Amino acid sequence: MRTTDQPRMPHAKLDLHQPTGDTVTTTTCYMCACRCGIRVHLKDGKVRYIDGNPSHPVNRGVICAKGSAGIKQHYSPARLSKPLLRVGERGAGEFREIEWDEALALATEWLGDVRRRNPDELAFFTGRDQSQALTGWWAQQFGTVNYAAHGGFCSVNMAAAGLYTVGGSFWEFGEPDWDLTRYLMLWGVAEDHDSNPIKLGLGKLKARGAKIVAINPVRTGYGAIADEWIPIQPGTDGLLAGALIHELLRTDRIDLDYLVRYTNAHHLVIRAPGAADDGLLARDAQGRAICAVREDAELRLAPADLPGIAPLVVGEYMLEDGRIGVPAFQLLTERYLSDDYAPDRVAARCGVEAATIRRLARELAEAAFDQAIELDQPWTDAYGRTHATMTGRPVAMHAMRGISAHANGFHTCRALHVLQMLLGAIDTPGSFRYQPPFPKPVPPPNRPGRDRKDNGALDAGPLGFVHGPQDLLVDAAGAPRRIDKAFSWEHPFAAHGMLQSVIRNAWAGDPYRIDTLLLFMANMGWNSAMNVGQTRAMLTDRDPATGRYRIPHVIYVDAYASETVELADLVLPDTTYLERHDCISLLDRPISDADAAADAIRRPVIAPDRDVRPFQDVLLDLGARLGLPGMTREDGTPRYPGGFAQYMVEHERAPGIGLLAGWRGVDGELHGVGAPNPGQLERYAEHGCYWHHAVPPSARYYKMANRDYLQWARGLGFLGSEAPITLELYSERLQRFRLAARGHGAVQPPDGERARVERYFDPLPFWYGADGEAVEADAEAYPLSAITQRPMFMYHAWGSQNAWLRQIAARNVLYLNARTATEHGVADGDWIWLASPLARIRVQARFHGGTAPGTLWTWNAIGKRRGAWRLDGDAPESREGFLLNHLIDELAPAREDGRRLANADPVTGQAAWFDLRVRIERDPAPREPGHRVEAIAPLRRPS
């Protein structure tokens, strides 16, 4: 309480009732992947304040530290202000400013030469980008197969595993049923992605008393408020999931009715070892999968999708041609009831006690079956049968990068989906729920482009989903056709490409050389590089035979002076997100929720005060200058002279299907499908820059087999038919690759890849350690696991140069459990060396009780290269901040044949960032501060 003799605080007379600004404009945030709605307050033409848009469906007015700090992102001293042309050596940071006409003419010259000679000599790779619907289409029109996006080193294991299993996935394609869930498991979830919706959802769960279990080697953020923390060993999530499956099967606590209604658990699998159809689904003459049924004591075979049948899920059955068929569920039980997944067997490897595993399985079953939900909501299934209520299993799961960034992430994520299926907990009340436009067919129908048409464009987008060996991008000898080796026998299901592999492969000429590397907001010279030192060396390396750089041309696009700018030949400066149009499209990374489809736009709220241009506009301009199909009119003039804003409205991916789903048709009265509407952007602006279209109440659950939903989704252009989508407990597509490895089919892997393909393309999920026994053998020399997490208050590298966010953390430390520290003679606050086979770094260690023993971790992307981002030369980010990336090799250990493949998941090519093994080495002066990097493995030029 203030007494009369105490002075008043100097801010006591603030006019808090006065408006923050003179203008308020709505748009969409870009400070993380949430894409929340924001209100930007302007005063005298300057950004004064940013807050959340209360009416926006994503965040409902909530805003985080990142979002509110968008002011400092916009006014960052690190903003680029003019096109730059390199005049010194790469890496020296010597440039001259040039005009846009010169910059675009030079880019057109380089790209035009490439397209005339061989479009695949352009590698166009985008980083933290939400314009993939544009950039992927542009690459298709250019004709290069060498296009990839951010997901290859971020999340493709989860996307691919989900889309090849249940037609959706964790992360941005689904969400827990926040209103009805009673038991939530968070697997490897950090707090950087989708943070505001998750925070809102967790608040609902905490208010209702639902149990939250966090499975993660590190307890921070969401894990800190969880009711229980399971400190698992990195990379063993799939083993724990398998043990939970083991217990559910052993105790007969599974939802068989759900399995036979919505999955292929009852589909008969041909058991014919050595035959060309071994492991494929048995089908009738019409190509329909079949099952075994017993009616009136008589056994017969029937189409598996017949409604109203009671199929058998165990046993062996003779097919009409004498072959043996076994239900997929039987194969699943044979695998998971084995001792390999018994809790007592896996406990030590996971770091989770066997009794805890059994209890977790029991709790899951109790929540799913003993606390089942019955909603009084009639609905009609895809076969026309009406149901009076909706039965729910109130168990939900959510997973993120912690399970994805491992070389076993694909099968780990598949195991989680199998666990959900056994509980009947996919898109039922209280469980994981699809967000429109998902679910999609398993897998989605779009395959990666393979051939060029007469006009030079690819016959399909460069990314997509491989359905069988015939869809791979390999030559007649089975060698990769893409520079990153995505969609090859090395990584067949690389649905997002492999951004992390392009520089090394291009430098080494493996499988060939390229001419131009075009990067958009991909900081490959620093925090987006595995093996940072060698990556920078490769970008600056010259061919001794010619004296030219091994990668002749590097064009880099960014809004800020990141570490990669100094490694470019031509720098094209982008705007900030407050200065341009953007499209958060349902064709790209949607912002839907489970009860509605949604998309959004960004619009300029302030004019640039620098000579910069939106990259989307620049890309369309380059396309017109190059005469790319779809970017010029018949007379050769640009098709989209108004830039990306015009493209957003007028471009159609298919008749009536554009980037935006709202207010279509010439009068703006249609949704989903309709002719372009010239006033569409104005309609979005009138509605807070978003479109939100509710799913009918009768269609909100069982979306994969709900007639009302399937009709609704088809009407909006999300699906091509109203056929139900079968969830795949057993993957026949994986088995087709295994059969090819065994010598069957017209397209087979090279001999050197057969054993690898056969092992990893198992039709049932399974757990294995880090890819390659050599990594496991290094456990004695490198006994500790090292991982990173992204903090809730920062997102990727560009947030950690933000003046406000830097006040939260401007340096990072290495966290470890006190027991681990004691075992290695480390005191709290010591500076130590952390070594891998690749390099060693000097970092400061701090004790953290929320870290699993045997695990080390740090915040990612805080460490900066000295002089980058226009930070002071003595900034703590470079003096004391660090990256674990220096220790991570982009190549896995050598195989028996001497070859080194990507350090990635063998199915998808997902970068295995979190498989890093390290050891602690003592420093003679542990109390003397200072970060350093010392390379151990030299860069060896290709022969």
Side-chain angles (χ1 to χ4, degrees):
M1 179 179 295
R2 185 179 67 85
T3 60
T4 55
D5 59 340
Q6 289 177 317
R8 291 180 177 272
M9 298 298 288
H11 57 267
K13 294 185 178 180
L14 289 175
D15 293 328
L16 298 179
H17 65 283
Q18 294 295 329
T20 306
D22 49 42
T23 305
V24 180
T25 305
T26 57
T27 187
T28 304
C29 189
Y30 192 57
M31 295 296 288
C32 84
C34 282
R35 292 146 297 163
C36 297
I38 56 174
R39 299 184 303 191
V40 181
H41 301 248
L42 303 172
K43 189 170 185 179
D44 299 327
K46 298 285 188 179
V47 179
R48 176 72 175 167
Y49 181 65
I50 297 176
D51 65 352
N53 181 353
S55 69
H56 199 281
V58 170
N59 57 314
R60 305 186 189 283
V62 173
I63 195 166
C64 67
K66 301 184 296 292
S68 60
I71 304 173
K72 291 300 182 181
Q73 204 72 21
H74 173 71
Y75 290 119
S76 168
R79 291 180 304 171
L80 298 171
S81 59
K82 194 83 173 174
L84 301 174
L85 180 65
R86 179 179 58 80
V87 294
E89 293 292 306
R90 270 195 204 157
E94 298 174 1
F95 296 94
R96 69 175 175 89
E97 293 185 347
I98 59 175
E99 301 302 322
W100 274 101
D101 284 345
E102 181 181 356
L104 294 173
L106 187 58
T108 303
E109 178 186 340
W110 293 351
L111 295 172
D113 289 344
V114 166
R115 192 166 194 265
R116 285 186 291 273
R117 187 170 58 243
N118 176 7
D120 293 340
E121 290 183 14
L122 167 66
F124 179 19
F125 283 52
T126 72
R128 184 10 192 110
D129 168 35
Q130 292 168 1
S131 297
Q132 191 172 326
L134 168 68
T135 56
W137 175 79
W138 191 94
Q140 177 185 353
Q141 304 312 106
F142 187 90
T144 181
V145 299
N146 291 318
Y147 166 83
H150 175 77
F153 65 82
C154 184
S155 61
V156 70
N157 269 334
M158 293 210 308
L163 291 168
Y164 277 93
T165 305
V166 299
S169 77
F170 298 118
W171 209 311
E172 294 168 339
F173 302 159
E175 64 180 335
D177 191 336
W178 299 113
D179 292 320
L180 298 176
T181 293
R182 293 174 179 167
Y183 196 100
L184 173 66
M185 270 190 167
L186 298 172
W187 295 78
V189 177
E191 47 267 22
D192 59 324
H193 279 77
D194 205 27
S195 59
N196 286 337
I198 290 179
K199 285 182 287 188
L200 290 167
L202 291 177
K204 291 182 178 180
L205 267 61
K206 298 295 283 188
R208 290 193 289 104
K211 182 168 183 178
I212 303 169
V213 178
I215 300 170
N216 200 312
V218 176
R219 187 173 197 178
T220 61
Y222 310 140
I225 66 166
D227 300 282
E228 184 172 7
W229 171 48
I230 305 298
I232 195 170
Q233 290 298 304
T236 64
D237 303 78
L239 192 56
L240 176 60
L244 295 174
I245 292 171
H246 174 99
E247 284 298 292
L248 293 175
L249 292 171
R250 184 184 66 81
T251 58
D252 196 23
R253 297 282 270 168
I254 58 175
D255 192 338
L256 275 176
D257 183 65
Y258 183 94
L259 290 173
V260 299
R261 281 177 182 262
Y262 306 118
T263 83
N264 65 357
H266 56 296
H267 294 202
L268 293 180
V269 179
I270 298 167
R271 180 172 274 176
D277 55 4
D278 179 45
L280 300 182
L281 299 181
R283 287 183 162 81
D284 61 17
Q286 288 74 44
R288 296 178 297 180
I290 60 174
C291 65
V293 297
R294 191 179 300 277
E295 296 177 351
D296 299 326
E298 180 180 347
L299 180 70
R300 68 182 181 88
L301 302 178
D305 60 353
L306 281 182
I309 59 174
L312 300 169
V313 294
V314 294
E316 290 190 349
Y317 305 96
M318 183 169 292
L319 307 178
E320 292 180 355
D321 57 8
R323 295 175 300 171
I324 297 298
V326 182
F329 181 79
Q330 169 79 25
L331 300 177
L332 183 83
T333 60
E334 290 173 1
R335 167 155 298 167
Y336 284 104
L337 283 176
S338 72
D339 289 342
D340 289 342
Y341 293 97
D344 290 325
R345 178 74 67 87
V346 309
R349 185 69 181 83
C350 291
V352 183
E353 293 182 354
T356 300
I357 297 174
R358 295 189 186 97
R359 175 177 56 79
L360 291 173
R362 186 170 62 251
E363 289 176 359
L364 286 171
E366 288 171 353
F369 304 118
D370 301 342
Q371 301 178 44
I373 295 173
E374 200 78 20
L375 296 186
D376 186 18
Q377 173 61 62
W379 68 287
T380 304
D381 65 31
Y383 304 101
R385 297 174 298 181
T386 58
H387 305 266
T389 61
M390 291 179 167
T391 301
R393 307 296 183 195
V395 171
M397 297 185 187
H398 191 60
M400 287 174 124
R401 190 185 297 107
I403 68 164
S404 186
H406 293 281
N408 59 23
F410 176 80
H411 279 289
T412 290
C413 193
R414 283 210 74 221
L416 292 186
H417 290 312
V418 168
L419 179 60
Q420 292 172 291
M421 284 186 245
L422 293 177
L423 292 166
I426 294 180
D427 216 55
T428 63
S431 71
F432 166 88
R433 302 182 67 192
Y434 295 111
Q435 296 173 340
F438 300 94
K440 297 284 190 179
V442 181
N446 53 302
R447 294 164 167 83
R450 293 168 45 85
D451 302 308
R452 278 188 278 272
K453 298 185 287 189
D454 291 342
N455 62 7
L458 286 179
D459 56 358
L463 300 181
F465 298 89
V466 166
H467 288 225
Q470 71 279 0
D471 296 331
L472 293 178
L473 268 72
V474 294
D475 64 18
R481 284 182 49 200
R482 283 178 53 112
I483 190 66
D484 58 358
K485 303 185 181 180
F487 306 122
S488 74
W489 289 107
E490 294 182 18
H491 305 285
F493 286 5
H496 292 170
M498 297 173 63
L499 176 62
Q500 73 277 9
S501 294
V502 61
I503 291 174
R504 176 171 286 275
N505 291 355
W507 168 79
D510 178 18
Y512 49 79
R513 303 286 287 271
I514 65 169
D515 177 89
T516 300
L517 176 62
L518 173 57
L519 295 174
F520 172 42
M521 289 193 70
N523 194 14
M524 300 306 297
W526 198 246
N527 65 285
S528 292
M530 304 166 84
N531 190 348
V532 179
Q534 289 193 5
T535 298
R536 295 180 66 86
M538 288 183 279
L539 285 170
T540 57
D541 190 33
R542 295 180 182 270
D543 187 338
T546 65
R548 299 185 67 202
Y549 288 112
R550 286 184 177 272
I551 303 176
H553 300 120
V554 177
I555 304 174
Y556 186 54
V557 183
D558 206 322
Y560 305 99
S562 72
E563 287 87 351
T564 303
V565 167
E566 64 187 18
L567 296 166
D569 302 307
L570 178 63
V571 179
L572 304 179
D574 195 10
T575 60
T576 73
Y577 70 101
L578 298 179
E579 299 169 326
R580 67 166 179 258
H581 280 97
D582 270 338
C583 183
I584 297 89
S585 173
L586 286 160
L587 301 179
D588 197 344
R589 300 171 68 179
I591 58 165
S592 303
D593 56 72
D595 292 330
D599 61 15
I601 67 168
R602 289 189 190 92
R603 54 174 168 161
V605 300
I606 193 167
D609 58 359
R610 309 160 321 285
D611 193 12
V612 297
R613 296 183 183 181
F615 177 56
Q616 295 93 328
D617 290 5
V618 171
L619 204 59
L620 290 167
D621 188 347
L622 284 172
R625 290 168 184 253
L626 292 165
L628 299 186
M631 295 183 221
T632 58
R633 301 186 183 278
E634 292 183 1
D635 62 1
T637 58
R639 181 173 293 276
Y640 303 106
F644 190 51
Q646 182 183 1
Y647 176 89
M648 287 163 57
V649 171
E650 295 182 4
H651 178 75
E652 292 182 281
R653 195 56 51 92
I657 303 292
L659 268 69
L660 293 169
W663 299 287
R664 300 195 65 81
V666 292
D667 55 1
E669 299 303 315
L670 300 176
H671 296 283
V673 180
N677 169 20
Q680 188 178 39
L681 296 185
E682 287 74 18
R683 297 296 295 275
Y684 271 84
E686 292 167 3
H687 289 82
C689 292
Y690 68 88
W691 169 80
H692 193 252
H693 193 63
V695 178
S698 63
R700 291 184 178 176
Y701 294 100
Y702 312 105
K703 293 185 180 78
M704 61 282 188
N706 185 315
R707 186 186 66 183
D708 291 350
Y709 177 79
L710 295 169
Q711 290 178 348
W712 179 85
R714 188 182 185 191
L716 290 170
F718 300 161
L719 293 171
S721 78
E722 298 170 16
I725 296 165
T726 300
L727 313 185
E728 296 197 357
L729 194 79
Y730 179 95
S731 176
E732 187 179 38
R733 286 177 179 81
L734 287 165
Q735 180 65 14
R736 290 190 184 279
F737 277 86
R738 176 173 271 189
L739 289 172
R742 292 174 177 171
H744 302 293
V747 182
Q748 299 178 20
D751 290 343
E753 299 301 327
R754 290 183 186 273
R756 187 169 182 267
V757 172
E758 180 171 2
R759 181 187 182 199
Y760 294 115
F761 277 74
D762 195 306
L764 291 168
F766 71 108
W767 185 84
Y768 52 90
D771 185 26
E773 289 71 15
V775 176
E776 293 292 296
D778 280 343
E780 185 174 345
Y782 300 95
L784 303 171
S785 293
I787 61 174
T788 61
Q789 291 214 147
R790 298 193 192 276
M792 190 176 290
F793 51 86
M794 288 183 184
Y795 185 70
H796 292 276
W798 55 319
S800 51
Q801 53 95 14
N802 183 294
W804 284 358
L805 301 179
R806 291 181 68 211
Q807 295 180 54
I808 302 174
R811 50 85 49 101
N812 54 321
V813 297
L814 184 75
Y815 294 107
L816 71 169
N817 187 282
R819 191 175 87 190
T820 305
T822 300
E823 291 172 353
H824 291 82
V826 176
D828 191 21
D830 277 358
W831 285 81
I832 62 174
W833 289 93
L834 201 62
S836 76
L838 185 67
R840 69 177 197 153
I841 57 177
R842 192 174 187 270
V843 300
Q844 188 178 29
R846 297 307 301 262
F847 291 2
H848 182 236
T851 300
T855 297
L856 314 171
W857 73 278
T858 190
W859 297 123
N860 190 33
I862 290 179
K864 294 281 184 277
R865 180 173 167 84
R866 191 178 300 275
W869 300 92
R870 297 189 180 140
L871 298 176
D872 290 343
D874 198 37
E877 286 87 350
S878 57
R879 188 179 69 252
E880 297 176 319
F882 64 92
L883 297 178
L884 283 183
N885 306 46
H886 289 284
L887 305 180
I888 307 172
D889 204 332
E890 74 269 63
L891 298 178
R895 308 190 307 182
E896 291 183 1
D897 61 5
R899 293 182 61 217
R900 297 187 65 191
L901 305 183
N903 179 16
D905 188 292
V907 179
T908 67
Q910 159 86 55
W913 299 91
F914 291 175
D915 285 342
L916 175 63
R917 304 288 299 187
V918 297
R919 66 169 176 251
I920 290 174
E921 298 175 354
R922 300 285 291 141
D923 187 271
R927 292 292 163 170
E928 180 180 322
H931 166 57
R932 294 198 300 276
V933 180
E934 292 183 359
I936 296 174
L939 178 64
R940 296 180 179 177
R941 282 198 176 113
S943 56

